[in-house]
Amino acid sequence: MAGKVVTISSGKGGVGKTTATANLGISLASLGKKVVVIDADIGLRNLDVIMGLENRIVYDLVDIVEGRSKLRQSMIKHKKFEDLFLIPAAQTRDKMAVSPQDMVKLTDELREEHDFILIDSPAGIERGFRNALEPADEVLIVTNPEVSAVRDADRITGLIEAAEKGPGRLILNRIKPELVKKGEMLSSDDVVDILGLAIIGIIPEDELVLSASNSGVPVTLNTDSKAGMAFNNVARRLIGEDVPFMNLADDAGFFRRLARLFEGW
Amino acid sequence: MASFLNRLFGRARKGSGATAKNRLHFVLQHDRINLPPERMEEMKREILAVIVKYLVVDQERVEIALEQRDRTHSKLVAEIPFAKEKQQIQMEARPETAGTDAQTAESNGAVKSPLAADEEAAPKDESNDSQDAEPVAEVDEASATAPDADAKDNKKN
Ligand SMILES: Nc1ncnc2c1ncn2[C@@H]1O[C@H](COP(=O)(O)OP(=O)(O)OP(=O)(O)O)[C@@H](O)[C@H]1O
Ligand SMILES: [Mg+2]
């Protein structure tokens, strides 16, 4: 089996990388895929709590890389899904403890027995990002409909392309359809237009994301959550299904769509 | 067509969302070529300073701008129209001596060049006048025909 390595990155911090990684991991697992999620944010371990696995951690990424633990015994199995595993970040080390080559070696081993290896990249464009980028077959770029977040997404888009890992696909997180409708927020069309990237997910702002992180049960497991449904759709697109985008509200507007219709002329 | 529609509907859009989009366009253009806005202005001033050494241009209407289709296709587009004011003065001055023209050009602070001289000497008919606002390439063409027209004009005189 030749699993696929998908890196989730953003440039700007706090836009929803960890949330996306946790939810995609669960969605892919619930679609029957064998999945490993890796927290590459060394020093700021988070993916474990978002997935509700914090109290099961024995070893971490640096232990594996430095040979203190075997890969298999270091992977934490999810409570609900047999085929979903977490490799947590080290909490007390810094990003220099792992090299891009270490990540390639690790993921090459994981590819043999899993369909997807998701890497939660740290914010920024330094070593941690490089570690997450190096083994990637595909990069998902998470951003928010905000000037600074989109700008940073563009910056890493350039770096991803320079590393020949592009083009990345976009996850636009925390969109508020009411605000877009009022013209008070960048729409998904705007962001796609500006960044010139394909979009793989449009995730609405959803209070249930917070309660999910409080309880350590990612929002895709909540059938009432629109964000959860949207993340589920991203997972299905990742495995190649053609899933229409949810109607979050009239996000584009008639005239802009009309204008787009004429774009080819 | 597309740009017309975009402009039409783009302008109609109000609210901070549209502002955000415009600001992002601006910021990203500069980020992508790694040339901050102030440095770009500096470069424009230098380009213009060079051009002015050879041509009498309408400095007010000079436009040097970044054009970007997407992140990997950027270009610098310059529109450098020749001075119109000078030519109007010329038209009035034409019946008199050519000396007046030369003085006008010098008082504009422009360095005289062969091309500028040609232009000054060239008669300004209506079609020529209407091309004043066109990009430099077009005006170039007009001034290329100048010697010919010049000869005709001389015969008439
Ligand atoms: N769709 C959403 N709706 C509401 N809140 C959200 C949504 N997505 C993310 N959040 C909230 O945003 C915050 C940041 O999310 P997250 O930790 O996933 O970002 P990150 O990109 O991993 O941050 P960092 O760069 O620090 O690693 C969290 O509090 C999370 O609950
Ligand atoms: Mg994170």
Side-chain angles (χ1 to χ4, degrees):
Chain A
M1 182 174 348
K4 189 172 183 182
V5 178
V6 180
T7 291
I8 292 94
S9 61
S10 69
K12 189 175 192 289
V15 297
K17 294 176 294 295
T18 302
T19 305
T21 308
N23 281 292
L24 290 180
I26 286 184
S27 294
L28 286 168
S30 65
L31 289 165
K33 299 294 171 188
K34 295 184 179 216
V35 185
V36 184
V37 296
I38 304 178
D39 188 347
D41 201 348
I42 297 167
L44 293 168
R45 178 198 285 169
N46 263 330
L47 192 52
D48 56 336
V49 286
I50 298 297
M51 297 186 79
L53 297 174
E54 67 275 11
N55 51 13
R56 304 192 178 192
I57 295 177
V58 185
Y59 299 109
D60 59 45
L61 180 58
V62 175
D63 292 325
I64 299 170
V65 163
E66 293 182 347
R68 270 189 302 279
S69 68
K70 290 258 178 319
L71 179 53
R72 211 175 268 272
Q73 66 176 138
S74 312
M75 304 198 314
I76 298 152
K77 192 196 285 188
H78 193 267
K79 296 174 240 178
K80 196 157 177 247
F81 299 96
E82 278 285 301
D83 287 320
L84 173 61
F85 296 88
L86 164 74
I87 296 179
Q91 185 67 315
T92 55
R93 300 290 296 271
D94 77 73
K95 294 175 171 46
M96 295 317 227
V98 175
S99 74
Q101 281 322 304
D102 292 332
M103 293 298 285
V104 171
K105 192 164 160 267
L106 170 65
T107 51
D108 279 349
E109 208 175 325
L110 291 169
R111 275 180 216 270
E112 285 169 24
E113 286 182 37
H114 301 88
D115 300 300
F116 282 94
I117 298 109
L118 306 181
I119 304 179
D120 180 15
S121 165
I125 54 175
E126 283 91 32
R127 180 63 165 266
F129 166 66
R130 295 284 166 193
N131 285 344
L133 183 61
E134 190 67 22
D137 295 312
E138 160 149 34
V139 184
L140 303 184
I141 301 162
V142 184
T143 192
N144 296 157
E146 250 182 67
V147 175
S148 57
V150 175
R151 180 191 204 174
D152 290 358
D154 190 72
R155 175 88 173 100
I156 63 154
T157 298
L159 297 174
I160 290 162
E161 273 163 26
E164 295 181 350
K165 300 288 184 184
R169 283 193 281 180
L170 201 64
I171 296 179
L172 181 58
N173 188 26
R174 310 196 76 159
I175 196 119
K176 297 181 183 170
E178 337 74 69
L179 282 189
V180 173
K181 213 168 174 181
K182 276 193 261 174
E184 296 298 329
M185 182 177 266
L186 289 163
S187 70
S188 54
D189 282 358
D190 289 337
V191 177
V192 165
D193 184 30
I194 290 163
L195 293 176
L197 293 173
I199 192 159
I200 190 172
I202 303 172
I203 320 293
E205 173 77 21
D206 187 341
E207 285 174 9
L208 294 173
V209 173
L210 178 62
S211 12
S213 85
N214 287 340
S215 53
V217 182
V219 81
T220 26
L221 292 172
N222 182 340
T223 46
D224 292 334
S225 164
K226 276 204 164 183
M229 278 158 62
F231 277 124
N232 235 317
N233 288 344
V234 177
R236 288 170 58 199
R237 291 183 194 111
L238 255 187
I239 62 172
E241 281 182 39
D242 186 13
V243 188
F245 283 89
M246 278 161 57
N247 188 12
L248 295 171
D250 194 12
D251 181 44
F254 170 73
F255 285 115
R256 290 181 49 70
R257 261 192 243 125
L258 187 70
R260 170 155 301 186
L261 209 67
F262 286 105
E263 207 86 59
W265 288 24
Chain B
M1 182 71 186
S3 72
F4 163 74
L5 283 166
N6 280 342
R7 231 178 294 147
L8 192 71
F9 298 127
R11 286 247 174 87
R13 251 184 99 189
K14 290 201 179 74
S16 64
T19 312
K21 190 175 185 185
N22 290 335
R23 291 180 66 216
L24 267 166
H25 265 305
F26 177 82
V27 166
L28 293 190
Q29 277 193 337
H30 290 281
D31 282 2
R32 285 168 181 174
I33 60 164
N34 196 20
L35 188 66
E38 254 322 300
R39 293 272 295 151
M40 174 113 171
E41 290 309 313
E42 218 174 289
M43 181 191 72
K44 286 185 196 173
R45 282 193 292 275
E46 278 183 45
I47 290 174
L48 193 57
V50 171
I51 289 172
V52 155
K53 272 165 70 179
Y54 298 93
L55 295 170
V56 184
V57 299
D58 184 348
Q59 299 205 24
E60 299 283 285
R61 291 192 300 140
V62 164
E63 257 184 64
I64 302 173
L66 265 181
E67 215 177 83
Q68 207 159 49
R69 188 150 46 82
D70 54 56
R71 65 183 346 278
T72 47
H73 296 90
S74 298
K75 58 183 173 186
L76 199 60
V77 178
E79 188 168 307
I80 301 165
F82 290 130
K84 182 169 189 173
E85 191 190 315
K86 179 182 67 68
Q87 285 163 357
Q88 276 168 348
I89 294 167
Q90 265 174 247
M91 276 183 74
E92 287 154 23
R94 195 156 57 93
E96 276 91 59
T97 61
T100 327
D101 291 343
Q103 273 160 16
T104 313
E106 265 146 30
S107 66
N108 271 357
V111 180
K112 269 198 94 188
S113 72
L115 182 55
D118 268 353
E119 238 214 320
E120 275 159 38
K124 297 293 175 266
D125 58 32
E126 260 170 25
S127 70
N128 230 342
D129 234 342
S130 67
Q131 279 174 353
D132 282 352
E134 293 301 306
V136 77
E138 301 240 10
V139 183
D140 236 334
E141 209 177 278
S143 50
T145 66
D148 205 359
D150 198 22
K152 252 185 272 160
D153 199 47
N154 285 344
K155 261 178 232 156
K156 254 188 276 166
N157 285 348

